[in-house]
Amino acid sequence: MLKMYGFWRSAAAFRVRMACNLKAIAYEETMINLDAGEQHAPDYVALNPQAVVPSLILEDGTLLTQSVAILEYLEETHPTPALLPADPVSRARVRALALIWAADHHPLIVPRVRSYLRDTLNVAEADRTLWIQHWFSEGLRIGEARMHGDPLTGAFCHGNAISLADLCLMSQVMGAKGFGVNIAGYPTINRIVDNCLALDAVTRALPLKQPGAPAAH
Amino acid sequence: MLKMYGFWRSAAAFRVRMACNLKAIAYEETMINLDAGEQHAPDYVALNPQAVVPSLILEDGTLLTQSVAILEYLEETHPTPALLPADPVSRARVRALALIWAADHHPLIVPRVRSYLRDTLNVAEADRTLWIQHWFSEGLRIGEARMHGDPLTGAFCHGNAISLADLCLMSQVMGAKGFGVNIAGYPTINRIVDNCLALDAVTRALPLKQPGAPAAH
């Protein structure tokens, strides 16, 4: 069975959980408490020098890191159901949308960046919150602009099948909600999120459904 | 012929230029002067709502964005020479290395982030420079830790063939040098960079070789 090191709140771990569920890949998740700094424990850093989650351990002990690289690996080794379309241009559109969120916006709000803002730049808490909300909003604004009115957009980010883009969008939207971002102004994104949330494979992977998460209220 | 909107200094455009050169794909590059804010011109934003480079226009007018998505597209449509290895685990290692730089570190130092630090958080120039140098150094430190002593590392990031990981590493190292980062402490990375710089396809793509770049000195 695949072994994953994750954390309930981690957007990147959430993406991998959704992919595993959609593809019916069994995995076991060990939680690395990012709030308690467990990602900096020597044993974990020896495994993953970046001190981030997720880390995925294959059955032969091989380590995989970086959620988007893991998603591509799962797609290549468990192609059904496909999370990438068949033709190269469509695949490029899905990957571009995925990377708008996973590469260009999510890394701006992760714990190591928030810590640098607080500890090195002495940015006050209110301004750190505005930073987080700004970059979440920017990622959603740009995604909406790319998808709204584009005939390639369907029930999901690309057509009517869930793809890697939707997994990255879901992780970004759940993060945005967690940090109090108003997401009302993105109708295309809200429609897609509703369609994702209709899937059991997605809801089982939600951050607040994981061990260690605060009780839903 | 492919048409690319780029900029001499853009790390992401540099990655795409290297891939096109390695695969002998003809392209024509139009420079969007990021220093002059040309990425915010209405015509360009209508094309690319994210207001970033590169944008790649295929011969039928299709728009592709996000450098890593473009690299994957070029790999799928022009598979020789391969910039990804054949087996899924090796591909995952290459993609993870590529994303450590292209996703987790490069987006922290791009113009829109530097502008937010300056204009919204009122971070002084010296502290903005430290921010940039910190994240470049972190990306290189982590990459060195992942690759040093790993038997899978060869003349290049993965074995003895240049891959997408090397293109992302090169773009990060050239950016680090441009911002005055000391890269002496990363012997594996320096060795790989030297091997990349021995390739004409790489040197022709270098930022300082492009129209609009300051004269080399």
Side-chain angles (χ1 to χ4, degrees), chain A residues 142-154:
Chain A
I142 291 162
E144 181 75 22
R146 278 296 296 272
M147 294 194 295
H148 183 76
D150 182 341
L152 297 173
T153 309

Side-chain angles (χ1 to χ4, degrees), chain A residues 139-176:
Chain A
L140 298 178
R141 178 186 69 75
I142 291 162
E144 181 75 22
R146 278 296 296 272
M147 294 194 295
H148 183 76
D150 182 341
L152 297 173
T153 309
F156 294 97
C157 289
H158 191 84
N160 294 317
I162 193 167
S163 72
L164 299 189
D166 301 287
L167 307 193
C168 293
L169 175 61
M170 279 302 295
S171 67
Q172 202 68 357
V173 167
M174 292 300 117

Side-chain angles (χ1 to χ4, degrees), chain A residues 73-96:
Chain A
Y73 170 84
L74 296 175
E75 180 70 4
E76 291 179 352
T77 54
H78 298 76
T80 306
L83 295 177
L84 280 171
D87 70 289
V89 167
S90 296
R91 293 162 75 86
R93 183 175 180 274
V94 167
R95 288 181 171 125

